[in-house]
């Protein structure tokens, strides 16, 4: 589990509430149901309207991943691939079947299994790359859902504020209530901007980053499987895979 999103959003809201308190406000002043319902419900509705039901379901499922998911580092898979390359070079591809049972990376297992089954190298690469491409498209659409929500949120908030101000103008005969009503009106704009910048856009950025890490690992696996299938020297395989790692992970490997 990587709690970066939980920690980041929690810290952001804590600072916002603290600033509100220091200015003499209280959480109850911000937590009014009508503007919150309008902003969150309206944003969800118009975001759904821009896609399909399947997009919405996938986006909701991705929330758990956004808050608690962790993309495994590509460096973690290098020793496993090098070990498989060593076995394949010494004993042949068929000797890898027993080793696959101890590997918990489905994509690597799939690639090596296809290699053991004698799949043509070009076809094998095409199949694995197609799976990576499909995963990128899925992640892109899921992140887009929350990016769109971040774009709609502030505008929905302004709509809510205008609606409330119309209500205020209709009650000018009650001057003792105007202050409270005007303050409540601007809460819609507050929640629109706040939800966009402190919820939706960070979630979208998080999903994009996780996708980048996952697909980079998958692309590394493709290169590893190709090297195993070609019978490459394990030391060469290790050097090739390490060269695909980000510079900070290369430094850590070297250390």
């Amino acid at each position: 589990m990587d709690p970066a999103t939980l920690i980041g959003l929690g810290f952001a809201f804590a600072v916002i509430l603290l600033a509100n308190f220091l200015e003499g406000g209280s959480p109850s002043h911000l937590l009014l149901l009508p503007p919150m319902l309008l902003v969150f419900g309206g944003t969800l509705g118009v975001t759904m309207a821009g896609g399909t039901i399947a997009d919405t379901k996938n986006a909701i499922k991705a929330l758990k991943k956004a808050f608690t998911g962790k993309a495994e580092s590509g460096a973690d898979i290098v020793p496993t691939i090098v070990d498989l390359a060593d076995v394949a070079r010494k004993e042949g591809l068929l000797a890898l079947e027993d080793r696959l049972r101890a590997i918990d990376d489905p994509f690597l297992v799939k690639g090596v299994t296809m290699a053991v089954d004698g799949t043509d190298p070009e076809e094998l690469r095409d199949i694995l790359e197609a799976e990576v491409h499909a995963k990128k498209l899925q992640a892109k659409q899921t992140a887009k859902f929350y990016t769109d929500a971040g774009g709609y949120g502030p505008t929905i908030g302004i709509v809510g504020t205008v609606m409330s101000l119309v209500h205020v103008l209709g009650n000018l005969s009650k001057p003792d209530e105007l202050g409270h009503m005007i303050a409540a009106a601007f809460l819609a704009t507050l929640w629109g901007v706040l939800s966009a910048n402190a919820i939706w856009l960070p979630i979208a950025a998080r999903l994009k980053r996780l996708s980048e890490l996952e697909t980079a690992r998958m692309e590394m696996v493709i290169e590893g499987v190709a090297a195993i299938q070609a019978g490459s020297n394990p030391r060469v395989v290790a050097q090739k895979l390490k060269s695909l790692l980000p510079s900070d992970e290369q430094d850590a490997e070297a250390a």
Side-chain angles (χ1 to χ4, degrees), residues 38-50 56 60 145 149 152 156 200:
L38 173 68
V39 169
F40 286 97
T43 300
L44 177 60
V46 295
T47 305
M48 288 178 60
T56 302
I60 293 173
F145 182 93
Y152 292 132
I156 297 296
W200 309 131

Side-chain angles (χ1 to χ4, degrees), residues 36-237:
M36 294 178 67
L37 182 62
L38 173 68
V39 169
F40 286 97
T43 300
L44 177 60
V46 295
T47 305
M48 288 178 60
T52 66
I53 293 297
D55 292 336
T56 302
K57 290 180 179 178
N58 290 333
I60 293 173
K61 290 179 182 177
L63 275 178
K64 180 179 179 181
K65 179 179 180 181
F67 283 100
T68 63
K70 179 183 179 182
E72 298 294 333
S73 168
D76 296 341
I77 202 69
V78 172
T80 302
I81 295 176
V82 172
D83 180 60
L84 293 175
D86 185 51
V87 173
R89 187 176 174 86
K90 293 178 180 178
E91 305 175 30
L93 286 174
L94 291 177
L96 298 178
E97 288 184 316
D98 292 336
R99 298 295 184 103
L100 294 180
R101 299 190 184 96
I103 298 175
D104 60 359
D105 188 309
F107 189 67
L108 176 59
V109 171
K110 178 180 180 178
V112 175
T113 299
M114 293 177 67
V116 171
D117 291 341
T119 305
D120 179 76
E122 290 188 6
E123 291 183 354
L124 176 54
R125 179 179 286 273
D126 288 343
I127 291 171
L128 296 181
E129 287 181 346
E131 186 169 334
V132 173
H133 180 65
K135 191 173 186 66
K136 286 181 178 179
L137 289 179
Q138 176 66 59
K140 181 179 179 180
Q141 181 56 44
T142 301
K144 180 179 180 296
F145 182 93
Y146 292 104
T147 301
D148 289 347
Y152 292 132
T155 305
I156 297 296
I158 292 173
V159 171
T161 295
V162 173
M163 289 174 55
S164 296
L165 289 177
V166 170
H167 181 62
V168 169
L169 293 175
N171 288 272
L172 292 179
S173 59
K174 303 176 182 178
D176 55 325
E177 298 181 10
L178 290 181
H180 174 74
M181 293 170 64
I182 293 173
F186 282 102
L187 277 180
T189 296
L190 171 66
W191 277 108
V193 175
L194 183 61
S195 64
N197 293 281
I199 301 178
W200 309 131
L201 294 180
I203 289 176
R206 164 76 164 183
L207 291 174
K208 288 178 184 177
R209 180 56 179 155
L210 290 178
S211 173
E212 290 173 357
L213 294 172
E214 289 174 357
T215 54
R217 178 186 170 99
M218 293 172 74
E219 288 167 352
M220 180 180 292
V221 167
I222 292 175
E223 297 302 325
V225 170
I228 291 171
Q229 193 174 30
S232 300
N233 186 303
R235 288 191 295 273
V236 175
V237 174

